[in-house]
Structure formats: C-alpha cells, structure tokens
Amino acid sequence: MSNNRELLYSMKILSFMILVICIVVPSLRICVADDSINVLQSMSDGERLVSKGGNFELGFFSPGSSQKRYVGIWYKNIPTQTVVWVANGANPINDSSGILTLNTTGNLVLTQNGSIVWYTNNSHKQAQNPVVELLDSGNLVIRNDGESNPEAYLWQSFDYPSHALLPGMKFGRDLRTGLERRYTAWKSPEDPSPGDVYGVLKPYNYPEFYMMKGEKKLLRQGPWNGLYFSGFPDLQNNTIFGINFVSNKDEIYYTFSLVKSSVVTINVINQTGRTYRYVWVEGDQNWRIYISQPKDFCDTYGLCGAYGSCMISQTQVCQCLKGFSPKSPQAWASSDWTQGCVRNNPLSCHGEDKDGFVKFEGFKVPDSTHTWVDESIGLEECRVKCLSNCSCMAYTNSDIRGEGSGCVMWFGDLIDMKQLQTGGQDLYIRMPASELEHKKNTKTIVASTVAAIGGVLLLLSTYFICRIRRNNAEKDKTEKDGVNLTTFDFSSISYATNHFSENNKLGQGGFGSVYKGILLDGQEIAVKRLSETSRQGLNEFQNEVKLIAKLQHRNLVKLLGCSIQKDEKLLIYELMPNRSLDHFIFDSTRRTLLDWVKRFEIIDGIARGLLYLHQDSRLKIIHRDLKTSNVLLDSNMNPKISDFGMARTFGLDQDEANTNRIMGTYGYMPPEYAVHGFFSVKSDVFSFGVIVLEIISGRKIRGFCDPYHNLNLLGHVGVNKSNLYA
Ligand SMILES: *[C@@H]1O[C@H](CO)[C@@H](O)[C@H](O)[C@H]1NC(C)=O
Ligand SMILES: *[C@@H]1O[C@H](CO)[C@@H](O)[C@H](O)[C@H]1NC(C)=O
Ligand SMILES: *[C@@H]1O[C@H](CO)[C@@H](O)[C@H](O)[C@H]1NC(C)=O
Ligand SMILES: *[C@@H]1O[C@H](CO)[C@@H](O)[C@H](O)[C@H]1NC(C)=O
C-alpha cells in the first residue's frame, strides 16, 4: 500500500519537474521529432527542425553507408534523402553525441562532448534575442526576433552553399562585403567534405561563371549577354526555371526561379567535373537529369587553344578561325589542339595598312579574363575604341537585347570560343588589312557584276518581289488562321523522354522514331522525332502541324504541340496506351481481345474519322497514308487516325488532284494513284476498304498469299467475289 502511495507521489513530482523544465528551458519544445517550431536553442542528434510549410528539414544525417554524423538540410517530402546543405562537411562527428546550439550572440555552434566542431561566425551584426528559423526555401537563417528583412539576417545558410543551388539562392559575389558565394562538390556521395571542384563567379569587367578544379578552369558558362549565358543560349525560356542575372556596383550574382512552383529542381555540382540540374518527378518518385554540363566535348575549357573555335558537328571539332592556321600543324593533325592557331598575316596596328574587323556569327564569346566594358557606348564607338588600341583583339555588344547595346572589348589572345549549333552571338575580330582586302575585292567584283546586269534584273526583280510579297502575305494569313498550338522547348521534351532513350521508344516509322514521355505535370505523351534524313522536310512537317492542329474529332489523334529547334523537329501527341491496330489484328493472342462487336466499332470509328476529314471538317483533307499502323487505339480501344505527314488539303469544290511524288504504302494505294498519281477522297476510301478486309480477316494485305491463284488479299477477295457472281 505504502509502496503504491510512494510511486504515485514520485510520479507527481516527475510530471511537475517535466512541466517546470518545459517552461524554463524552451529548447525542450522541439523534443518531438517533426514539430514545426522554428525557434531553436539547442538540438541534439535525432531531433529535427521542419520549415513552416513542410518543405525542408534540418537534422543530423549520415550520407550513404557512412557512419559519420553531419548536420544538414534535406527535402522533407522527398523519400530518397536529398541533402541540399551541410554544416560540418569537413568536420564530421563520429557518434550521435553532437549538439547544435544557438548562443546569445546569435551564432550556431555544433559541439561534441564540449568541444566545438563547427560554428557560424556572425561578427558584423548585433544580436538581440536571436532566433533560428528554417525557411520554406531551404534557407536556414539566424535573425533577431521580429526581424524579417533578409538583408538584416545575422547569418544565413544561403550565403554558404554546399554542393547544391536552390531556387532563390544567390550564386555570385557581394562586392560590398566581399562575400563570395560559390558551390563546391562533395568529395564523394559518402563524404560531404568539400572536393576541389567548384562553381564560382569571376568578377572580371565582363563577369563570368566558371567550373573550376583547384586553380584550373574546367568549363565556362560564358558571360551574361542580357538574354543568356553566352555559351548556353538554349537555356533561355525553358519550361523549368528562369534565370535572373544581376550585376551592379553592389553585387554580381545569378539566381534561378521556378517557372511552376510545384516543380522541384536543384543544380548540383559533382566532383567528376559536371553539374547536374535535377528535377523531381513525382510520378517516378525519382530525380531526373534535366541538363548536365559540360553539354558536349566543345564545352571543355580552352580545347581549341587561341583563335581556335570548337564546333561539335565537325569530325575535327577544332577549327582555326578564318585567317588563322594551326601553330603546330603536326600536333593539330593528331587532334592536339591546345597550341591553338596563329595569324596567316600579321596585324599592322598603326602601320600603313589599317587593321579592320571581321564579323563572326553564332559564337560563344571568348574567355573574358582580359576585357573592358562600357555600357554607355554602342557598337560603332566600340569599334573605333578597339581599333585605336593595338592589344584590343575583338569587340561586340555587351548586351544583345533588342538591337544590342553596350561595348565589350577583348585584350590579348582569344580563347575558348565555340561555334554554336543554334543561337550564339556576333563577334568582331581584329584582322590585318590584307585579310580584309581580299574580302573587299570579292565584294567589288560582285558589285560591278551586279551593276552590269543590274538594268535588266531591275525590271525582273520588281516583278518577283511583288510575287513574293503576295505569297508571304498569304502565308502569314494561313499561319495565323486560328491555330492554337503549344510550342514545347526541345530540352523539356528531351527530358520527358529520358533523352530519347531506347527504353522509351515506341516504334520506328519512315519519318523517324516515336517515343513515350511524361511531362512534368504527369501527362503522358507520344513524341514523334523526325529523323534528320527523313523524307519529311520542313514543309511536310509544317503541313502536318498546321493541318492536324485544326482538326478536332474523337477519332483523330490529338496533337498537343510541336517543337522545332534547327534540325530537330518534334510532334507531341497524346499517348495512345494501346498503340496501333496492326498490333492487335495481326497478333494471334492479342487478336482474341477484339470480338466482332469491338471490330465493328473500330471500323465504324475509322469511318467516322475519315468522314470528318473528307466532309465534316472545315477543310477537305485526303490522308493518303491510311493503314492499320496509322490507326491508334486509346485505353478503351477507340480508334484514332494518326500520321498526317502526307495529308493534302483540298478546296471544298476540288475533287481530284495529281502528284508527281507518289507517297504512301503499297498495298493500301489504289491503282490509279500508285500508277498515275491521281488521288482524291476515293484513294482514302480504297485504303479504308483494305483496312476493313484486314480487320475482318486478320491477314496482312501484303503478307497474304492465296495458294490457288497466287494473289494478295485483295485479289483473293476479288476472285472469290467473281466466283460468287459466276
Ligand atoms: C557564440 O559562438 C561564437 C562562435 O563559436 C563565439 O565566437 C561567441 O563568443 C559565442 N558567444 C557566446 C556568448 O558564447
Ligand atoms: C569528453 O571530454 C572529456 C574531457 O575532455 C573526456 O575526459 C571524456 O573522455 C570525453 N568523453 C567522450 C565520450 O569522448
Ligand atoms: C556524381 O555523379 C554521379 C553520376 O550521377 C553519381 O553516381 C555520383 O554519386 C556523383 N558524385 C557525387 C560526389 O555527387
Ligand atoms: C589598351 O588597353 C589596355 C587594356 O585596357 C590598356 O592597359 C592599355 O594601356 C591600352 N593601350 C593604349 C595605347 O591605350
């Protein structure tokens, strides 16, 4: 009895003590692991701090199979632990005895058994009632209670990036305080101590971001030209992130922001000398690489040496600029380009013959270490200035927005230039008069020739210009003709299809391959990537896009958009999960899934789609390549006609046309088209008939062989029909 009473008494004392402790020592409020309390006085291993909106979590972790303990920040809702920041990367704790404390002068101190492992050193600002808060952006901040101005934070983790850049993080330099925000690769996935590969802003007159390995430059973004980093024009207007570059007397930095706040993306630098931009794909529950740099071999810093330019599509990627030759022809021939190129003719500078400039287009501008910028003058003044200084080797606009503005000049040898496939800038490179003379001479010859025949041509050209103008006017009209089509950027589609991986390939057609993809919003798509060698040229491509964008019918496949980037032409369709009709009717097992009712419905659907094309849509369209592999099936086995690459529009009053380019698939073509090139709605009806036969018989038009008459399916049916009437 008395024992019981004693127990009750001690329990009462205990709960009273807990109450007192919890009131007196506020830090105990975060005893609970995933509490969202954001004020912290001290935290031990096992406890966590969660940002208000629940995006990020701060706590102790061990990377990979390592046993060591680190304080870090990771995404709370992403199951594969993704650490975006680490405090004591270089000074791990070897057990779980670490304690993180905020002391009264506003510094976080990480201790193990009383000795300091890591600490923040805020010595500039006065702390008054400091608090620690993990923000939903992933930024860990120390601020005075009530202070919300970011500029007044006592300390913030965003100023000391680890290996990852998060949206909103400034990457660059504060010129007032000298604070340099760089990001540094982890030594290995198991070891978050800083490796020797890092990304950094070099605050040259024309500032640039570099990836470095120790003191060695690995890769250069190219300076910001108002629209993009000179070497990566394809990152502008991408669908994942926006780039914001700021350069003024106080600071130079770059931040990125999310286009859609729901899309999680980070930029991670890796000890292998690569950066990866990952995007979290909810459907996959996985990070996918959206972009990785270096993008190609030509991004290797200084690969082609001085006055060499790199072009990835060439077999010898390095070429000397026009007017230059390899310094060492032997080395150059054996693909050692590092010695670069030298001028064929020397510059004279102030000599008798004045130097001049040659314009190079589509360039990543050279390394900007020795540059000079004047934003207040334009291109012409820039040229004059550059000409007057013998060591000025090139110039261009410092900002290429609009007409272009500002002036940047390069001194000394020009290195690390790249001839870009798409985009790129103009660069004016100094050349001796002799190199220019040559050009002038050709120009003069051309000019005089033109002058000689000019009189005759003038009359003719006026006539042609008028015709072209009229054609253009018509073209504009059709293009504006109510087509509401999304243009996707190439990189987002490349990303959606896992960079057109073999695993995503759905099939291969005459015009290229079709890939399955998932857009970031989860929508499944089929991407038709037209091969460069495909017969479908730009015309046919635009034809298909324009045609199908105008068509809306449940028995026609829906085009979601397209993407054109130089030689890459992509069509993006809704994904048809059951693929195409030939997949079913010619396969002995899958065929059994199609009973007669279903087959009738499919035939009926194709007929409806076709009727819409021929009659009911605003245009009269002949498909010209109707066949079972061009009839796709949705999840309910509803047929949808696809592949309008060869379709032709007809005037509504036009019934027949002729072509001298027979396209389509033999077997499905009516004889008058195959032989004479005549086509009309009847051609499609013929093909439809063939499809009906195939659906009913389960035989291929071309694979069938009638044992008695040596006829194909069509002939066989015809023969039997004539037997019937006989
Ligand atoms: C807080 O920690 C910092 C860093 O260790 C130290 O410089 C400072 O003296 C500490 N302040 C107090 C009051 O202990
Ligand atoms: C903690 O530090 C004290 C004094 O420095 C030392 O005697 C003790 O062995 C340490 N304990 C552990 C577990 O390292
Ligand atoms: C570097 O990237 C490779 C490939 O993505 C990855 O396996 C490796 O873990 C990364 N290394 C680091 C240190 O992050
Ligand atoms: C040419 O420009 C460089 C770099 O700005 C400068 O150091 C040099 O003095 C200039 N030379 C002349 C002759 O102006």
Side-chain angles (χ1 to χ4, degrees):
M1 200 65 198
S2 78
N3 260 355
N4 263 353
R5 197 190 270 160
E6 241 170 64
L7 189 67
L8 203 70
Y9 186 56
S10 42
M11 275 178 69
K12 268 187 181 163
I13 288 187
L14 194 67
S15 52
F16 176 68
M17 274 174 66
I18 288 175
L19 188 71
V20 167
I21 288 170
C22 275
I23 290 170
V24 172
V25 188
S27 74
L28 281 186
R29 280 191 293 170
I30 57 160
C31 299
V32 192
D34 52 359
D35 202 339
S36 62
I37 289 165
N38 52 28
V39 178
L40 156 138
Q41 319 272 238
S42 121
M43 187 175 96
S44 53
D45 200 334
E47 295 174 337
R48 275 152 192 205
L49 190 66
V50 177
S51 68
K52 249 196 197 102
N55 284 354
F56 288 94
E57 196 164 68
L58 170 88
F60 289 78
F61 74 99
S62 298
S65 57
S66 164
Q67 300 295 310
K68 298 185 171 137
R69 303 297 286 169
Y70 300 86
V71 169
I73 298 171
W74 54 87
Y75 288 96
K76 184 172 188 321
N77 299 319
I78 287 179
T80 40
Q81 189 180 61
T82 309
V83 175
V84 296
W85 183 79
V86 58
N88 57 319
N91 300 304
I93 298 170
N94 47 23
D95 58 22
S96 58
S97 66
I99 293 174
L100 188 64
T101 322
L102 178 67
N103 72 17
T104 50
T105 47
N107 277 304
L108 273 172
V109 184
L110 180 62
T111 55
Q112 180 193 24
N113 188 22
S115 61
I116 295 178
V117 175
W118 171 89
Y119 59 92
T120 63
N121 59 348
N122 150 48
S123 46
H124 314 294
K125 289 166 189 154
Q126 195 66 38
Q128 270 169 351
N129 207 7
V131 292
V132 176
E133 187 179 359
L134 179 58
L135 304 180
D136 250 342
S137 58
N139 193 5
L140 181 70
V141 306
I142 307 172
R143 54 178 174 82
N144 289 330
D145 202 10
E147 179 63 70
S148 62
N149 173 13
E151 300 284 319
Y153 288 156
L154 301 173
W155 178 91
Q156 54 181 325
S157 64
F158 270 18
D159 282 344
Y160 303 92
S162 174
H163 66 320
L165 297 180
L166 293 170
M169 203 175 213
K170 289 178 180 177
F171 171 34
R173 209 178 258 246
D174 189 323
L175 302 172
R176 296 160 298 191
T177 61
L179 177 73
E180 182 196 84
R181 303 180 191 94
R182 52 162 80 175
Y183 72 139
T184 309
W186 287 10
K187 274 198 177 134
S188 80
E190 319 264 277
D191 178 4
S193 59
D196 59 356
V197 172
Y198 58 99
V200 69
L201 173 92
K202 297 276 184 183
Y204 303 140
N205 286 330
Y206 204 32
E208 278 202 77
F209 290 95
Y210 287 82
M211 176 156 50
M212 309 280 294
K213 186 177 175 73
E215 288 304 305
K216 192 169 166 246
K217 290 172 177 173
L218 294 183
L219 179 146
R220 198 167 67 88
Q221 293 281 323
W224 182 257
N225 61 24
L227 291 176
Y228 52 85
F229 293 111
S230 180
F232 297 91
D234 44 351
L235 291 188
Q236 51 175 337
N237 306 327
N238 75 79
T239 53
I240 307 289
F241 63 98
I243 297 173
N244 182 25
F245 180 79
V246 173
S247 174
N248 55 40
K249 67 178 198 335
D250 292 335
E251 36 186 1
I252 307 169
Y253 65 83
Y254 139 83
T255 59
F256 70 90
S257 55
L258 301 178
V259 172
K260 270 194 219 152
S261 61
S262 57
V263 177
V264 177
T265 171
I266 47 170
N267 181 335
V268 175
I269 191 164
N270 187 303
Q271 182 59 26
T272 56
R274 296 199 79 89
T275 64
Y276 296 97
R277 173 164 294 278
Y278 293 103
V279 175
W280 177 255
V281 181
E282 202 57 49
D284 281 15
Q285 289 290 292
N286 217 338
W287 290 103
R288 250 202 256 163
I289 297 168
Y290 180 64
I291 298 159
S292 176
Q293 286 178 2
K295 208 172 128 188
D296 58 46
F297 191 37
C298 280
D299 287 331
T300 314
Y301 180 81
L303 184 70
C304 302
Y307 302 105
S309 122
C310 198
M311 190 168 180
I312 198 65
S313 58
Q314 306 272 332
T315 26
Q316 280 264 46
V317 292
C318 288
Q319 307 279 326
C320 288
L321 296 178
K322 200 168 161 290
F324 293 79
S325 303
K327 188 169 183 191
S328 158
Q330 285 98 331
W332 196 267
S334 58
S335 299
D336 173 8
W337 301 294
T338 46
Q339 295 182 51
C341 309
V342 288
R343 292 184 184 276
N344 297 337
N345 297 300
L347 292 170
S348 79
C349 197
H350 296 308
E352 291 280 289
D353 302 322
K354 273 266 176 194
D355 296 338
F357 293 92
V358 170
K359 177 177 172 180
F360 291 79
E361 292 174 0
F363 263 49
K364 171 185 186 176
V365 299
D367 181 289
S368 64
T369 310
H370 305 291
T371 45
W372 181 88
V373 174
D374 186 342
E375 277 164 11
S376 69
I377 63 175
L379 207 56
E380 182 47 31
E381 256 185 279
C382 197
R383 191 187 72 84
V384 172
K385 254 202 160 106
C386 187
L387 197 59
S388 70
N389 185 322
C390 290
S391 51
C392 178
M393 289 303 149
Y395 73 91
T396 194
N397 277 134
S398 56
D399 189 329
I400 65 165
R401 280 176 292 185
E403 300 276 281
S405 63
C407 167
V408 52
M409 306 192 297
W410 278 264
F411 298 94
D413 286 348
L414 306 176
I415 62 159
D416 200 40
M417 287 169 283
K418 186 174 171 183
Q419 175 81 59
L420 297 166
Q421 304 270 87
T422 44
Q425 305 179 230
D426 296 343
L427 183 69
Y428 301 84
I429 298 177
R430 189 181 203 112
M431 292 287 174
S434 53
E435 295 289 336
L436 304 167
E437 218 78 83
H438 174 68
K439 226 180 151 184
K440 229 182 246 166
N441 281 343
T442 357
K443 258 190 194 161
T444 329
I445 294 164
V446 173
S448 51
T449 319
V450 169
I453 335 171
V456 186
L457 280 183
L458 199 65
L459 281 168
L460 278 172
S461 57
T462 324
Y463 167 74
F464 279 114
I465 286 168
C466 286
R467 267 188 65 169
I468 290 166
R469 276 212 189 122
R470 220 178 66 202
N471 284 348
N472 280 348
E474 272 163 22
K475 198 167 128 215
D476 282 345
K477 208 173 107 215
T478 48
E479 270 166 12
K480 284 194 204 93
D481 197 16
V483 181
N484 187 12
L485 199 66
T486 314
T487 319
F488 291 85
D489 68 276
F490 181 74
S491 46
S492 73
I493 298 299
S494 166
Y495 164 73
T497 56
N498 224 338
H499 307 285
F500 300 101
S501 82
E502 278 300 310
N503 290 340
N504 285 40
K505 202 161 176 173
L506 293 174
Q508 175 100 38
F511 291 149
S513 308
V514 180
Y515 297 85
K516 181 184 167 159
I518 306 175
L519 293 179
L520 289 170
D521 59 11
Q523 174 162 27
E524 294 195 309
I525 52 171
V527 180
K528 185 166 151 189
R529 185 189 203 185
L530 303 172
S531 58
E532 274 173 51
T533 55
S534 87
R535 287 176 298 162
Q536 186 164 10
L538 197 63
N539 278 341
E540 277 134 350
F541 178 74
Q542 285 170 340
N543 186 16
E544 176 161 12
V545 171
K546 272 190 245 161
L547 261 185
I548 194 167
K550 287 182 205 158
L551 303 176
Q552 300 281 346
H553 189 273
R554 52 193 294 262
N555 294 113
L556 301 184
V557 71
K558 193 168 158 208
L559 183 71
L560 300 174
C562 67
S563 164
I564 307 179
Q565 182 178 325
K566 210 158 189 190
D567 290 336
E568 284 284 4
K569 295 189 279 289
L570 308 176
L571 288 168
I572 293 97
Y573 295 97
E574 57 180 345
L575 184 77
M576 290 293 129
N578 282 322
R579 308 180 70 170
S580 52
L581 187 55
D582 58 334
H583 224 70
F584 281 86
I585 54 173
F586 302 135
D587 183 286
S588 53
T589 38
R590 278 193 285 258
R591 160 155 76 208
T592 56
L593 297 170
L594 299 178
D595 58 16
W596 291 114
V597 177
K598 198 73 234 175
R599 288 188 202 206
F600 176 76
E601 281 171 8
I602 290 172
I603 293 171
D604 187 50
I606 301 171
R608 280 169 198 276
L610 204 54
L611 196 64
Y612 172 81
L613 289 177
H614 290 170
Q615 248 177 37
D616 299 340
S617 69
R618 282 198 295 139
L619 310 148
K620 183 171 182 173
I621 292 160
I622 315 288
H623 186 285
R624 297 208 295 167
D625 197 18
L626 210 56
K627 54 182 170 182
T628 46
S629 58
N630 280 342
V631 175
L632 307 183
L633 298 168
D634 72 5
S635 51
N636 296 320
M637 301 298 275
N638 294 314
K640 307 217 175 203
I641 299 171
S642 77
D643 212 333
F644 292 78
M646 283 186 257
R648 277 290 193 89
T649 34
F650 269 43
L652 284 173
D653 49 355
Q654 188 186 1
D655 288 325
E656 203 171 274
N658 196 343
T659 179
N660 44 22
R661 211 174 148 198
I662 309 291
M663 300 191 295
T665 308
Y666 284 102
Y668 293 87
M669 283 186 217
E672 79 277 6
Y673 176 59
V675 178
H676 302 295
F678 290 124
F679 64 93
S680 65
V681 289
K682 291 175 200 157
S683 329
D684 279 353
V685 174
F686 182 92
S687 312
F688 172 70
V690 174
I691 293 179
V692 173
L693 284 180
E694 288 184 324
I695 293 176
I696 295 171
S697 67
R699 306 292 184 99
K700 282 187 186 161
I701 182 75
R702 295 177 73 188
F704 179 83
C705 187
D706 168 9
Y708 301 107
H709 303 95
N710 235 340
L711 293 169
N712 70 2
L713 183 60
L714 218 56
H716 177 70
V717 175
V719 166
N720 284 350
K721 194 184 82 185
S722 44
N723 284 349
L724 209 70
Y725 286 105

